[in-house]
Amino acid sequence: MKTFLKILLTAVAVIVLANILQGVAVTGYLSAIIVAAVIALLNMFVRPLLIFFTLPATLVTFGLFIFVINAIIIMLADKLVDGFAVDNFWWALLFSILLSIFRSALFSLLKDDKKQLDKL
């Protein structure tokens, strides 16, 4: 249930960011949910491999290369989902940074709700 809720919150963030950023487009709510699920799957399976293979670059840049890996994940989601489009690498980089910020804020709301429920 919590995973499904996280995917829905990520879909909301994708819709909001697609409306804010010119270089990112999403055709509808269903596409946003599919994008969120695809990003979750790519983060689960592809991202660890990319981090492993680019470990020297990540170490040399003190972890900043992770932003490039996140942009690559977004561009892969663009190729896999028909209703989602990112114009170029720079829009994908900006989208991935803002998506991380939005997801952190939204997921922190989930943790606060859990703490309040535990008090009851």
Side-chain angles (χ1 to χ4, degrees):
M1 182 67 174
K2 191 172 183 179
T3 304
F4 183 69
L5 189 57
K6 284 185 176 184
I7 288 175
L8 287 179
L9 288 175
T10 303
V12 168
V14 167
I15 291 170
V16 168
L17 289 174
N19 287 328
I20 293 172
L21 300 175
Q22 295 175 8
V24 179
V26 116
T27 57
Y29 298 115
L30 182 62
S31 295
I33 293 171
I34 294 171
V35 166
V38 166
I39 289 173
L41 289 173
L42 289 172
N43 279 335
M44 192 182 314
F45 296 111
V46 177
R47 189 170 189 261
L49 292 173
L50 288 175
I51 290 173
F52 177 75
F53 288 125
T54 61
L55 192 59
T58 304
L59 291 175
V60 168
T61 61
F62 300 109
L64 292 176
F65 197 75
I66 297 292
F67 291 122
V68 174
I69 292 172
N70 290 341
I72 291 169
I73 294 293
I74 298 300
M75 296 196 70
L76 281 172
D78 172 27
K79 299 297 181 199
L80 293 173
V81 179
D82 288 332
F84 179 62
V86 179
D87 286 346
N88 56 33
F89 173 79
W90 299 110
W91 284 114
L93 183 66
L94 181 61
F95 180 81
S96 69
I97 291 169
L98 293 176
L99 184 65
S100 297
I101 293 169
F102 269 79
R103 287 179 64 187
S104 296
L106 291 173
F107 292 172
S108 70
L109 294 175
L110 285 178
K111 291 179 184 175
D112 289 343
D113 290 341
K114 184 179 179 183
K115 289 178 184 177
Q116 288 177 357
L117 289 176
D118 289 339
K119 289 181 183 178
L120 296 175

